[in-house]
Structure formats: C-alpha cells, structure tokens
Amino acid sequence: MGQEALRGTLIKQGAIIEKALKGMGAQGQGLKQLALSVDGQLTPEVRAALRHITHLRNAAAHDADFSVDAQNLTKLEQNQAIVNRFFAQPPRKARSSRRNPQTQKRRMSRIKLGVRLFFIALVILAGYFLFPGK
C-alpha cells in the first residue's frame, strides 16, 4: 500500500473509530478526547492500540511529508485488528467505582430502620411516663 493510500485509510479508519467511540457514549473532539472520555470501558490493550492509531492518524492528517516504515505498518495492522475485535464484541459495562451503590442503599435502609425503631421505642417510653399504669 502506498503512503497516500495509507493516509486516506488512516483518516477513514479514524472516522470509523470516532463513530464507534461516540456509540459507547464518548464525548469530546478527536480520537484522543473520545478515547479518554470512555477510558474505563476500554481494555489496556485497546487503549494502547488507540494511542498508536491516533498518533499515526494525526500524522497522516497534519504532516505533509507523512510516511510509515515497515515496522510501524505491521504494528498499525495489529492495532487495527485489536480495535476492530473490541468494537465487534457486545458492549461492556463501565467499570464500577469502588463503592457499590447497592451496598450504600442497604446501609441507608439499615439507618432508616434504626431511626424508625428508635422513635417507636421513644413513643412507647413516653407512653409509660405519660400514662402510668396501676
């Protein structure tokens, strides 16, 4: 593949990847910002592949004397395969934060239960003092 054909392929591939990233909910302009905005949904291998593709795509789009050596071309083909495989898979869930929302809900319901029981006991205790038995 000639350097000019590679330039066109890289720019088209970049547009396809941008569309796929936006489909994942990415926000921003350009491959780098889009990839960073969904970083938690990407595997480390895909992140590295996207960095390399982004670097070469930017060079293809902005450098007049753009060229890729055989080693980078091989690496580019491998990285494109990695990215294509990733986007061909069903969507991944975003990484959850360390704090599980279910745990927090349970904790809040336990606190509410404790507060309710406290007030019930308070009402019963107040009843004993206000209406003493025989």
Side-chain angles (χ1 to χ4, degrees):
M1 178 183 295
Q3 296 298 321
E4 287 304 312
L6 180 60
R7 180 188 302 258
T9 302
L10 273 168
I11 292 172
K12 286 178 189 173
Q13 180 78 12
I16 292 168
I17 293 171
E18 284 181 10
K19 185 176 179 180
L21 288 169
K22 286 179 182 177
M24 294 175 66
Q27 296 183 349
Q29 292 182 341
L31 279 172
K32 184 176 182 178
Q33 287 181 0
L34 291 169
L36 287 174
S37 72
V38 292
D39 194 53
Q41 298 178 45
L42 304 174
T43 64
E45 183 182 41
V46 172
R47 277 188 226 117
L50 283 174
R51 275 194 304 272
H52 185 249
I53 291 171
T54 300
H55 170 72
L56 290 179
R57 195 218 63 87
N58 287 342
H62 302 292
D63 291 347
D65 56 342
F66 169 76
S67 66
V68 176
D69 60 2
Q71 183 181 5
N72 267 331
L73 184 60
T74 303
K75 187 174 179 184
L76 172 65
E77 290 168 353
Q78 291 169 350
N79 287 333
Q80 284 177 331
I82 290 168
V83 170
N84 290 337
R85 259 194 325 270
F86 177 79
F87 287 117
Q89 296 173 354
R92 295 171 170 258
K93 289 184 178 179
R95 285 186 185 168
S96 63
S97 63
R98 291 182 183 248
R99 185 171 271 165
N100 185 349
Q102 282 296 76
T103 305
Q104 191 166 1
K105 284 181 183 176
R106 274 188 250 132
R107 187 178 308 128
M108 290 305 294
S109 66
R110 287 181 186 154
I111 291 171
K112 286 179 183 178
L113 178 64
V115 169
R116 288 178 184 160
L117 289 175
F118 171 76
F119 280 110
I120 290 171
L122 191 64
V123 168
I124 292 171
L125 189 62
Y128 280 121
F129 286 115
L130 292 175
F131 306 105
K134 293 182 185 180

